[in-house]
Amino acid sequence: MAAMETTVVATAMPTVVADLGALELYGWVGAVYLLGNTVAMPIYGKLSDIYGRKSLMMVGITLFLIGSMASGLSQSMVQLIAFRGLQALGAGGLQTLAFTVAGDIYEVKERARIQGIFGAVWAIAGMSGPFLGGLLVKFLSWRWVFYVNVPVGVLAAFLYVVAFHESVAKRPAKLDIPGALVVTAMVVSLLLGTSRVAPAITIPLAIGFGVIMMLVERRAEEPVIPLDLLRQKVIGLSCILGGVVGATMMSVVTYLPLYLQGILGTSATTAGSMLSPLLIGWPLAATLTGRILSRLSYRTIMIFGWTLATASLVVLSVEIANVAAPGVLYAIMFFLGLGLGFANTPIILVLQESVTWRQRGQATAASSFFRTIGGSIAVGALGAILAGGLAGLADPRLLSEIMGPEHGHHLDPALMGRISAQLETSLVTIFRIIAAMAASALALALFFPPLRLGQGEASLRERQDGALDDGPVGQDTEDAKMTT
């Protein structure tokens, strides 16, 4: 639900604006969710390592459900933005802690299968959001985009209460409030800059806050951003590659529908269905990864995945330049889904295998943080390229006419052709950049250590010492992990 809420509002927003007005605040409904989500992830991860997963998960679910219900009841755009931010503060914990708990309650070999399923669920939820949003708006109302979270969230909370048990050693801890504030300021500045809000000011601010963050976190007793973990080759590379996964997926999900509706003249529903092969390829690859990890290294699977993703995106950029046929796009999306599934699944597995229980929340949160921030930066930066390519339009509202149900058929053909040509040129550039991002990830994956399942640093130490380091108390060696 937390992943779906990142994208589900997109198709509902035109109806929301028609009901609540305030078109000038259109972009903030999505931006505030992304902002709150990104900022909350490392904080939840760190607190869960101190106080345990269950209590923090209950906090996240409660904030998420209150924010969801309040968003659906909003009577103005300002209210919607505020309640959407509250929803995001809960969602940041849900995504991070769900992956963390899965890492806690399964052994290393079982974890490959279950984390593959979790990764597939995350991908399916995020990519199906626009399609689901369209259905909810069509058959119910835009408010159900938020209400639909409530029954699922209540059920999840009930299952955690009755079925998830943990015993966490109490230890003194000092919260890193300065670190949390600096991280928040850095993320806010970065997202504002990539969203073209005074980039000449906000981008330098983001860099400055980034430097301050590193200085503060180096001295913190309980840092929010674990710089010592990120300096480890396996974890650092995993987070960077996760960031590119987020950047690639969110960029394709955001800009392919624009091409389909603006150039090919398809409907919003058809554009959403074009992404459906991704929803088949990704979980298929995630499932296969869990089965073949016993025979292949993490690096081998990553390289294969990024090779497949890069090839798919190169073909996609060529096809878009030549006005792609819908059938070809379906095939490309399927192989892209396969590639990203193979590229993403090993990341969370090797990362959780390389840390102890006391670090798993932070490590998982760092991966989610980089994936989310990678997606937001890429979408914002590519949006700036798109805006630059369309800067010559005398009236930007003409683009909305092309995207509407009549696809600009009432416009002057010469004018419509000129607008379409500008849009197509910009989108070709955008998809070439997306392909280049995937290619850079492929090059980076070549430097990943050739580890196999069970060869992570923490897993090796566990076998040598006979128990997990500093894990939950009250459990024997065989079950030195979180249990249900």
Side-chain angles (χ1 to χ4, degrees):
M1 302 307 291
M4 185 194 72
E5 280 295 313
T6 305
T7 57
V8 70
V9 175
T11 47
M13 278 310 296
T15 308
V16 173
V17 170
D19 188 12
L20 302 181
L23 178 62
E24 67 277 7
L25 299 177
Y26 182 101
W28 280 100
V29 176
V32 74
Y33 184 85
L34 194 61
L35 173 62
N37 201 339
T38 306
V39 168
M41 284 178 179
I43 298 174
Y44 275 100
K46 181 59 188 177
L47 291 178
S48 76
D49 286 341
I50 299 173
Y51 301 110
R53 323 296 187 205
K54 188 172 184 176
S55 59
L56 270 296
M57 180 63 88
M58 291 300 102
V59 171
I61 291 176
T62 300
L63 291 177
F64 184 73
L65 293 185
I66 293 174
S68 296
M69 199 68 191
S71 296
L73 295 171
S74 297
Q75 300 301 310
S76 71
M77 190 69 81
V78 173
Q79 289 181 10
L80 178 58
I81 292 170
F83 294 137
R84 181 86 163 141
L86 178 63
Q87 183 192 37
L89 293 178
L94 302 189
Q95 292 192 65
T96 297
L97 296 177
F99 278 98
T100 305
V101 169
D104 288 340
I105 64 179
Y106 287 94
E107 298 284 2
V108 173
K109 292 184 178 180
E110 297 172 326
R111 200 180 295 158
R113 179 176 57 86
I114 200 67
Q115 291 289 19
I117 295 173
F118 268 60
V121 169
W122 172 82
I124 290 172
M127 289 183 287
S128 63
F131 183 70
L132 178 60
L135 292 178
L136 290 172
V137 171
K138 181 177 180 179
F139 294 106
L140 295 171
S141 80
W142 67 263
R143 298 181 186 276
W144 279 93
V145 167
F146 304 103
Y147 294 155
V148 72
N149 297 316
V150 177
V152 180
V154 170
L155 176 61
F158 172 76
L159 291 175
Y160 267 100
V161 169
V162 301
F164 182 58
H165 309 288
E166 63 180 347
S167 179
V168 182
K170 294 183 179 180
R171 60 190 178 98
K174 184 177 180 181
L175 298 182
D176 181 22
I177 295 177
L181 293 176
V182 174
V183 170
T184 301
M186 179 188 70
V187 172
V188 170
S189 302
L190 189 58
L191 294 184
L192 288 175
T194 54
S195 299
R196 305 181 302 282
V197 178
I201 298 174
T202 51
I203 293 297
L205 269 179
I207 296 173
F209 282 125
V211 173
I212 296 173
M213 185 257 315
M214 288 189 287
L215 295 175
V216 170
E217 297 299 79
R218 286 179 62 184
R219 294 175 171 82
E221 295 181 20
E222 301 282 356
V224 172
I225 300 295
L227 298 181
D228 57 328
L229 292 180
L230 295 179
R231 281 194 291 266
Q232 296 179 27
K233 186 175 182 179
V234 169
I235 297 176
L237 283 176
S238 296
C239 288
I240 294 173
L241 290 170
V244 184
V245 168
T248 303
M249 190 197 83
M250 289 302 298
S251 297
V252 171
V253 170
T254 300
Y255 292 105
L256 184 61
L258 183 60
Y259 168 79
L260 295 170
Q261 292 177 258
I263 304 301
L264 299 187
T266 65
S267 66
T269 305
T270 302
S273 71
M274 285 284 187
L275 298 173
S276 59
L278 273 170
L279 311 183
I280 300 172
W282 191 308
L284 177 60
T287 302
L288 291 174
T289 299
R291 294 180 178 274
I292 63 178
L293 262 176
S294 60
R295 297 187 295 273
L296 299 173
S297 68
Y298 292 113
R299 181 175 68 181
T300 300
I301 297 173
M302 286 181 185
I303 290 174
F304 176 72
W306 282 116
T307 300
L308 195 56
T310 302
S312 300
L313 288 166
V314 169
V315 174
L316 179 61
S317 64
V318 172
E319 288 295 320
I320 284 178
N322 295 289
V323 188
V328 175
L329 290 178
Y330 277 115
I332 293 173
M333 288 299 100
F334 173 75
F335 286 108
L336 177 59
L338 277 178
L340 291 178
F342 283 121
N344 180 72
T345 306
I347 292 174
I348 190 70
L349 293 171
V350 70
L351 187 146
Q352 291 188 336
E353 192 184 336
S354 300
V355 296
T356 62
W357 184 92
R358 285 293 182 195
Q359 299 171 314
R360 188 172 294 145
Q362 273 188 300
T364 306
S367 175
S368 300
F369 177 84
F370 274 86
R371 188 174 59 207
T372 303
I373 203 73
S376 60
I377 291 173
V379 170
L382 294 175
I385 294 174
L386 179 65
L390 299 174
L393 288 179
D395 187 352
R397 289 175 297 182
L398 294 174
L399 182 60
S400 299
E401 295 286 343
I402 291 181
M403 300 296 293
E406 297 184 2
H407 299 294
H409 292 317
H410 61 287
L411 298 176
D412 176 67
L415 176 61
M416 183 177 172
R418 189 165 67 252
I419 297 172
S420 297
Q422 285 183 257
L423 177 61
E424 183 177 1
T425 300
S426 299
L427 288 173
V428 168
T429 301
I430 284 173
F431 279 97
R432 286 173 178 169
I433 294 173
I434 298 173
M437 289 192 300
S440 66
L442 172 59
L444 195 61
L446 296 174
F447 295 94
F448 203 88
L451 298 173
R452 290 178 176 269
L453 189 66
Q455 292 183 339
E457 182 179 336
S459 295
L460 292 174
R461 190 187 312 132
E462 180 180 351
R463 288 199 296 272
Q464 293 167 356
D465 299 342
L468 280 174
D469 175 44
D470 199 22
V473 299
Q475 297 164 357
D476 58 20
T477 301
E478 177 66 18
D479 190 27
K481 55 184 174 57
M482 307 290 283
T483 61
T484 56

